Amino acid sequence: MEELEFNEIAPGVDKQIKKKRIIISVVCVLLVVILAVATGLLLKQYVFASFIVDGTSMYPTLDGGNGDKLDNQRTNGEVLYLDKVAKISRGDIVVFNTEKAHANTVSTLVKRVIAVGGDHLQIKDCVVYVNDRQLDEPYITPMTTGQDIDIYIPDGQIFCMGDNRDVSLDSRVFGPVSLDDVVGKCFLIKGLDGKLRKPQ
């Protein structure tokens, strides 16, 4: 008798259990999706960023596309992926904001870190010295013109130069850059061919 009553109730209980499992599964999936989206947005906001290279100041290391910027025919350059929280060191490629004094506008530039806070930087006869040692720069298009510089970099600042030295507007013109103005350090480059590579 008890066994018959159990068999009559069991199918209803089974349906309720299945229904609860489906609801729990749907809620879990929704939570995972919400957490993934939220994590992605937080990482994009506070940890990672991207930047499209425009111009020739970092050539040949970075390709800023081709065409004439004045007639809006320039094609997009390579894409840089930036780490916003990475420690900045000499030799890093960084993106930073700088104010153009003559136009009172802010520009975002990509350059290479040549010296950091506390360094003694000298440029003599188009050769760069950091802390009295000539900098080994196999990645650059060498300078052929420019004035000599002798400067100590203040703490919390970096001295940045483009790899294409003769055409680059950089710290030789506007001075050291505050670390507060750095958007991020490049850790990955997407070439014009779509292939990924690490910065050199």
Side-chain angles (χ1 to χ4, degrees):
M1 184 75 171
E2 289 179 4
E3 190 176 331
L4 285 173
E5 287 175 4
F6 177 77
N7 286 340
E8 288 173 5
I9 296 169
V13 172
D14 191 43
K15 283 182 183 179
Q16 286 180 347
I17 291 171
K18 284 182 180 178
K19 189 175 180 181
K20 284 182 181 178
R21 285 181 180 166
I22 290 170
I23 291 171
I24 290 170
S25 297
V26 169
V27 169
C28 287
V29 169
L30 286 174
L31 283 174
V32 168
V33 170
I34 290 168
L35 284 172
V37 170
T39 302
L41 290 173
L42 287 170
L43 287 173
K44 186 175 181 182
Q45 180 69 30
Y46 298 106
V47 181
F48 299 115
S50 61
F51 177 80
I52 298 175
V53 180
D54 183 13
T56 59
S57 72
M58 282 295 290
Y59 188 82
T61 305
L62 302 174
D63 193 334
N66 49 39
D68 187 351
K69 191 175 182 180
L70 295 177
D71 64 12
N72 295 319
Q73 296 299 312
R74 180 178 289 283
T75 57
N76 285 341
E78 295 182 315
V79 178
L80 308 185
Y81 295 100
L82 310 173
D83 184 340
K84 292 182 174 184
V85 296
K87 182 181 176 183
I88 307 299
S89 304
R90 285 183 219 103
D92 289 340
I93 294 173
V94 294
V95 172
F96 58 90
N97 296 315
T98 185
E99 188 173 333
K100 289 184 176 176
H102 64 280
N104 290 324
T105 58
V106 175
S107 292
T108 304
L109 304 176
V110 55
K111 306 292 176 189
R112 188 180 296 274
V113 178
I114 303 302
V116 297
D119 283 343
H120 179 207
L121 173 76
Q122 295 171 294
I123 301 177
K124 300 177 188 175
D125 300 322
C126 299
V127 179
V128 179
Y129 300 87
V130 177
N131 301 326
D132 299 320
R133 290 187 177 184
Q134 182 177 341
L135 208 57
D136 181 26
E137 302 182 285
Y139 41 76
I140 69 166
T141 301
M143 281 185 283
T144 58
T145 60
Q147 65 183 34
D148 289 353
I149 293 175
D150 192 332
I151 184 176
Y152 285 88
I153 312 303
D155 287 338
Q157 297 190 10
I158 53 178
F159 194 96
C160 301
M161 295 168 67
D163 288 355
N164 194 1
R165 295 286 159 83
D166 281 347
V167 302
S168 178
L169 174 66
D170 51 41
S171 288
R172 291 171 293 173
V173 176
F174 49 72
V177 175
S178 170
L179 288 173
D180 292 336
D181 293 327
V182 174
V183 177
K185 165 184 168 178
C186 175
F187 67 91
L188 195 63
I189 302 165
K190 182 181 179 183
L192 297 181
D193 58 3
K195 293 181 180 178
L196 298 174
R197 69 180 191 277
K198 290 184 179 179
Q200 58 174 346

